[in-house]
Amino acid sequence: MWPIIQAKGCSSCHGTNGGGFSVGSSKSTFHANTVGVASTSCPGNTRIVAGDAANSFLYRKLAGTQSCGERMPRTGDYLNATQLNTVRDWINSGAPNN
Ligand code: HEC
């Protein structure tokens, strides 16, 4: 999961709270900034709901099924199906910090 975030350049915009969201500089800070954390841009949403990708705003932003704002990454360099499945499976397996 974290390698995908790095490879997709999310930190170029979300390094220091860009768009109201910092991805963090490590797997652990990414986890702390996302799992169980409320969305700042779309009230009522949670960035990552451990065990529930379908209701995780970050996953929906990556899949293009979000209810607010743009699909991510905003550059248009979207995740391929394999990468999306990796994110989904990680969230559905409880979004472990390891
Ligand atoms: C070119 C700049 C840019 C890039 C690259 C980018 N984002 Fe964003 N992101 C934004 C902006 C601006 C917003 C706020 C507006 C919106 O939601 O469209 C945002 C909002 C978000 C939000 C909503 C945060 C919240 O709390 O509501 C998430 C989650 C997110 N981005 C994830 C990502 C991920 C994951 C990546 C990498 C795959 C990524 N973004 C890449 C600019 C970017």
Side-chain angles (χ1 to χ4, degrees):
M1 172 63 189
W2 176 241
I4 294 174
I5 297 297
Q6 291 178 294
K8 285 293 171 181
C10 310
S11 63
S12 66
C13 296
H14 295 293
T16 51
N17 216 30
F21 169 46
S22 295
V23 290
S25 54
S26 69
K27 206 166 41 178
S28 297
T29 52
F30 173 77
H31 192 271
N33 290 348
T34 55
V35 179
V37 177
S39 158
T40 50
S41 69
C42 198
N45 285 269
T46 300
R47 290 174 179 163
I48 291 177
V49 181
D52 190 356
N55 282 308
S56 294
F57 190 52
L58 184 144
Y59 175 75
R60 297 184 61 166
K61 291 281 253 186
L62 296 175
T65 58
Q66 75 284 354
S67 48
C68 299
E70 304 290 318
R71 185 174 182 180
M72 294 293 143
R74 268 205 170 195
T75 49
D77 181 25
Y78 303 133
L79 277 64
N80 64 34
T82 304
Q83 292 167 321
L84 272 178
N85 287 344
T86 298
V87 174
R88 185 198 59 201
D89 292 349
W90 172 74
I91 294 174
N92 284 341
S93 69
N97 183 15
N98 60 26

